[in-house]
PDB file of all heavy atoms in Angstrom:
ATOM      1  N   ARG Q  66      87.955 105.349 107.296  1.00  0.00           N
ATOM      2  CA  ARG Q  66      87.605 106.329 106.259  1.00  0.00           C
ATOM      3  C   ARG Q  66      87.767 105.701 104.880  1.00  0.00           C
ATOM      4  O   ARG Q  66      88.765 105.023 104.634  1.00  0.00           O
ATOM      5  CB  ARG Q  66      88.549 107.547 106.308  1.00  0.00           C
ATOM      6  CG  ARG Q  66      88.561 108.327 107.617  1.00  0.00           C
ATOM      7  CD  ARG Q  66      87.362 109.253 107.747  1.00  0.00           C
ATOM      8  NE  ARG Q  66      87.416 110.024 108.967  1.00  0.00           N
ATOM      9  CZ  ARG Q  66      86.828 109.638 110.122  1.00  0.00           C
ATOM     10  NH1 ARG Q  66      86.158 108.494 110.182  1.00  0.00           N
ATOM     11  NH2 ARG Q  66      86.907 110.399 111.195  1.00  0.00           N
ATOM     12  N   ARG Q  72      87.106 108.889  89.020  1.00  0.00           N
ATOM     13  CA  ARG Q  72      87.746 107.996  88.065  1.00  0.00           C
ATOM     14  C   ARG Q  72      87.523 106.528  88.417  1.00  0.00           C
ATOM     15  O   ARG Q  72      87.201 105.717  87.565  1.00  0.00           O
ATOM     16  CB  ARG Q  72      89.259 108.292  88.044  1.00  0.00           C
ATOM     17  CG  ARG Q  72      90.016 107.547  86.980  1.00  0.00           C
ATOM     18  CD  ARG Q  72      89.499 107.934  85.645  1.00  0.00           C
ATOM     19  NE  ARG Q  72      90.367 107.524  84.557  1.00  0.00           N
ATOM     20  CZ  ARG Q  72      89.905 107.360  83.331  1.00  0.00           C
ATOM     21  NH1 ARG Q  72      88.624 107.544  83.084  1.00  0.00           N
ATOM     22  NH2 ARG Q  72      90.713 107.031  82.357  1.00  0.00           N
ATOM     23  N   ARG Q  86      73.763  96.321  97.598  1.00  0.00           N
ATOM     24  CA  ARG Q  86      74.468  96.385  98.875  1.00  0.00           C
ATOM     25  C   ARG Q  86      74.614  97.833  99.329  1.00  0.00           C
ATOM     26  O   ARG Q  86      75.236  98.636  98.645  1.00  0.00           O
ATOM     27  CB  ARG Q  86      75.862  95.771  98.737  1.00  0.00           C
ATOM     28  CG  ARG Q  86      75.845  94.268  98.567  1.00  0.00           C
ATOM     29  CD  ARG Q  86      77.188  93.798  98.087  1.00  0.00           C
ATOM     30  NE  ARG Q  86      77.242  92.342  98.077  1.00  0.00           N
ATOM     31  CZ  ARG Q  86      78.057  91.647  97.277  1.00  0.00           C
ATOM     32  NH1 ARG Q  86      78.871  92.261  96.460  1.00  0.00           N
ATOM     33  NH2 ARG Q  86      78.059  90.338  97.332  1.00  0.00           N
ATOM     34  N   THR Q 116      84.581 111.057  77.123  1.00  0.00           N
ATOM     35  CA  THR Q 116      83.468 110.513  77.893  1.00  0.00           C
ATOM     36  C   THR Q 116      83.514 110.965  79.350  1.00  0.00           C
ATOM     37  O   THR Q 116      82.866 110.384  80.208  1.00  0.00           O
ATOM     38  CB  THR Q 116      83.492 108.972  77.848  1.00  0.00           C
ATOM     39  OG1 THR Q 116      84.800 108.557  78.287  1.00  0.00           O
ATOM     40  CG2 THR Q 116      83.233 108.444  76.462  1.00  0.00           C
ATOM     41  N   SER Q 184      89.075  98.666  92.927  1.00  0.00           N
ATOM     42  CA  SER Q 184      87.662  99.064  92.982  1.00  0.00           C
ATOM     43  C   SER Q 184      86.819  98.028  93.710  1.00  0.00           C
ATOM     44  O   SER Q 184      85.914  98.371  94.473  1.00  0.00           O
ATOM     45  CB  SER Q 184      87.113  99.249  91.564  1.00  0.00           C
ATOM     46  OG  SER Q 184      87.734 100.331  90.955  1.00  0.00           O
ATOM     47  N   THR Q 185      87.083  96.740  93.446  1.00  0.00           N
ATOM     48  CA  THR Q 185      86.268  95.697  94.087  1.00  0.00           C
ATOM     49  C   THR Q 185      86.509  95.692  95.591  1.00  0.00           C
ATOM     50  O   THR Q 185      85.588  95.522  96.386  1.00  0.00           O
ATOM     51  CB  THR Q 185      86.596  94.322  93.483  1.00  0.00           C
ATOM     52  OG1 THR Q 185      86.474  94.407  92.059  1.00  0.00           O
ATOM     53  CG2 THR Q 185      85.641  93.258  93.982  1.00  0.00           C
ATOM     54  N   HIS Q 189      84.035  96.409  98.887  1.00  0.00           N
ATOM     55  CA  HIS Q 189      84.093  95.643 100.128  1.00  0.00           C
ATOM     56  C   HIS Q 189      84.181  96.598 101.329  1.00  0.00           C
ATOM     57  O   HIS Q 189      83.447  96.450 102.310  1.00  0.00           O
ATOM     58  CB  HIS Q 189      85.307  94.711 100.066  1.00  0.00           C
ATOM     59  CG  HIS Q 189      85.396  93.711 101.177  1.00  0.00           C
ATOM     60  ND1 HIS Q 189      85.753  94.066 102.452  1.00  0.00           N
ATOM     61  CD2 HIS Q 189      85.178  92.385 101.207  1.00  0.00           C
ATOM     62  CE1 HIS Q 189      85.754  92.970 103.215  1.00  0.00           C
ATOM     63  NE2 HIS Q 189      85.402  91.932 102.480  1.00  0.00           N
ATOM     64  N   ARG Q 199      96.509  91.170 104.203  1.00  0.00           N
ATOM     65  CA  ARG Q 199      97.637  90.494 104.831  1.00  0.00           C
ATOM     66  C   ARG Q 199      98.502  91.558 105.481  1.00  0.00           C
ATOM     67  O   ARG Q 199      98.797  92.583 104.877  1.00  0.00           O
ATOM     68  CB  ARG Q 199      98.395  89.782 103.709  1.00  0.00           C
ATOM     69  CG  ARG Q 199      99.508  88.891 104.120  1.00  0.00           C
ATOM     70  CD  ARG Q 199      99.992  88.116 102.907  1.00  0.00           C
ATOM     71  NE  ARG Q 199      99.038  87.077 102.582  1.00  0.00           N
ATOM     72  CZ  ARG Q 199      99.026  85.887 103.193  1.00  0.00           C
ATOM     73  NH1 ARG Q 199      99.922  85.603 104.115  1.00  0.00           N
ATOM     74  NH2 ARG Q 199      98.132  84.989 102.873  1.00  0.00           N
TER      75      ARG Q 199
ATOM     76  N   SER W  80      95.121 105.208  80.489  1.00  0.00           N
ATOM     77  CA  SER W  80      93.977 105.927  81.025  1.00  0.00           C
ATOM     78  C   SER W  80      92.991 106.342  79.920  1.00  0.00           C
ATOM     79  O   SER W  80      91.782 106.302  80.123  1.00  0.00           O
ATOM     80  CB  SER W  80      94.491 107.158  81.760  1.00  0.00           C
ATOM     81  OG  SER W  80      93.696 107.424  82.868  1.00  0.00           O
ATOM     82  N   LYS W  84      87.124 104.298  79.018  1.00  0.00           N
ATOM     83  CA  LYS W  84      86.175 105.289  78.517  1.00  0.00           C
ATOM     84  C   LYS W  84      84.840 105.279  79.213  1.00  0.00           C
ATOM     85  O   LYS W  84      84.076 106.228  79.109  1.00  0.00           O
ATOM     86  CB  LYS W  84      85.961 105.067  77.019  1.00  0.00           C
ATOM     87  CG  LYS W  84      87.215 105.419  76.226  1.00  0.00           C
ATOM     88  CD  LYS W  84      87.025 105.168  74.750  1.00  0.00           C
ATOM     89  CE  LYS W  84      88.322 105.400  74.016  1.00  0.00           C
ATOM     90  NZ  LYS W  84      88.559 104.460  72.946  1.00  0.00           N
ATOM     91  N   LYS W  88      82.951  97.858  84.099  1.00  0.00           N
ATOM     92  CA  LYS W  88      84.074  96.934  84.241  1.00  0.00           C
ATOM     93  C   LYS W  88      84.307  96.139  82.950  1.00  0.00           C
ATOM     94  O   LYS W  88      85.252  95.373  82.869  1.00  0.00           O
ATOM     95  CB  LYS W  88      83.791  95.953  85.378  1.00  0.00           C
ATOM     96  CG  LYS W  88      83.574  96.625  86.727  1.00  0.00           C
ATOM     97  CD  LYS W  88      83.339  95.584  87.829  1.00  0.00           C
ATOM     98  CE  LYS W  88      83.206  96.265  89.178  1.00  0.00           C
ATOM     99  NZ  LYS W  88      83.041  95.304  90.281  1.00  0.00           N
ATOM    100  N   GLU W 139      91.775  99.019  88.716  1.00  0.00           N
ATOM    101  CA  GLU W 139      91.404  97.611  88.549  1.00  0.00           C
ATOM    102  C   GLU W 139      91.103  97.329  87.080  1.00  0.00           C
ATOM    103  O   GLU W 139      91.052  96.179  86.652  1.00  0.00           O
ATOM    104  CB  GLU W 139      90.188  97.320  89.438  1.00  0.00           C
ATOM    105  CG  GLU W 139      89.946  95.852  89.668  1.00  0.00           C
ATOM    106  CD  GLU W 139      89.099  95.596  90.912  1.00  0.00           C
ATOM    107  OE1 GLU W 139      89.333  96.272  91.930  1.00  0.00           O
ATOM    108  OE2 GLU W 139      88.198  94.751  90.845  1.00  0.00           O
ATOM    109  N   ASP W 219      99.372  82.242  97.922  1.00  0.00           N
ATOM    110  CA  ASP W 219      98.646  82.552  99.143  1.00  0.00           C
ATOM    111  C   ASP W 219      97.436  81.606  99.253  1.00  0.00           C
ATOM    112  O   ASP W 219      96.600  81.558  98.353  1.00  0.00           O
ATOM    113  CB  ASP W 219      98.192  84.009  99.007  1.00  0.00           C
ATOM    114  CG  ASP W 219      97.389  84.508 100.166  1.00  0.00           C
ATOM    115  OD1 ASP W 219      96.492  83.785 100.656  1.00  0.00           O
ATOM    116  OD2 ASP W 219      97.657  85.639 100.568  1.00  0.00           O
ATOM    117  N   ASP W 234      80.546  88.733 100.108  1.00  0.00           N
ATOM    118  CA  ASP W 234      79.596  87.765 100.691  1.00  0.00           C
ATOM    119  C   ASP W 234      80.181  87.119 101.936  1.00  0.00           C
ATOM    120  O   ASP W 234      79.506  86.988 102.958  1.00  0.00           O
ATOM    121  CB  ASP W 234      79.264  86.667  99.674  1.00  0.00           C
ATOM    122  CG  ASP W 234      78.285  87.160  98.612  1.00  0.00           C
ATOM    123  OD1 ASP W 234      77.610  88.178  98.877  1.00  0.00           O
ATOM    124  OD2 ASP W 234      78.219  86.541  97.541  1.00  0.00           O
ATOM    125  N   THR W 236      82.485  88.242 103.944  1.00  0.00           N
ATOM    126  CA  THR W 236      82.619  89.168 105.066  1.00  0.00           C
ATOM    127  C   THR W 236      81.264  89.531 105.647  1.00  0.00           C
ATOM    128  O   THR W 236      81.115  89.692 106.864  1.00  0.00           O
ATOM    129  CB  THR W 236      83.394  90.422 104.625  1.00  0.00           C
ATOM    130  OG1 THR W 236      84.660  90.009 104.126  1.00  0.00           O
ATOM    131  CG2 THR W 236      83.610  91.384 105.790  1.00  0.00           C
ATOM    132  N   VAL W 257      86.166 108.959 115.728  1.00  0.00           N
ATOM    133  CA  VAL W 257      86.304 108.306 114.428  1.00  0.00           C
ATOM    134  C   VAL W 257      84.944 108.194 113.727  1.00  0.00           C
ATOM    135  O   VAL W 257      84.848 108.187 112.508  1.00  0.00           O
ATOM    136  CB  VAL W 257      86.927 106.905 114.615  1.00  0.00           C
ATOM    137  CG1 VAL W 257      86.930 106.125 113.314  1.00  0.00           C
ATOM    138  CG2 VAL W 257      88.328 107.024 115.203  1.00  0.00           C
TER     139      VAL W 257
END
Side-chain angles (χ1 to χ4, degrees):
Chain Q
R66 300 281 182 267
R72 187 61 166 157
R86 289 165 173 155
T116 54
S184 293
T185 307
H189 189 286
R199 187 171 285 277
Chain W
S80 215
K84 291 178 185 142
K88 301 182 177 183
E139 197 159 318
D219 178 316
D234 283 340
T236 302
V257 173

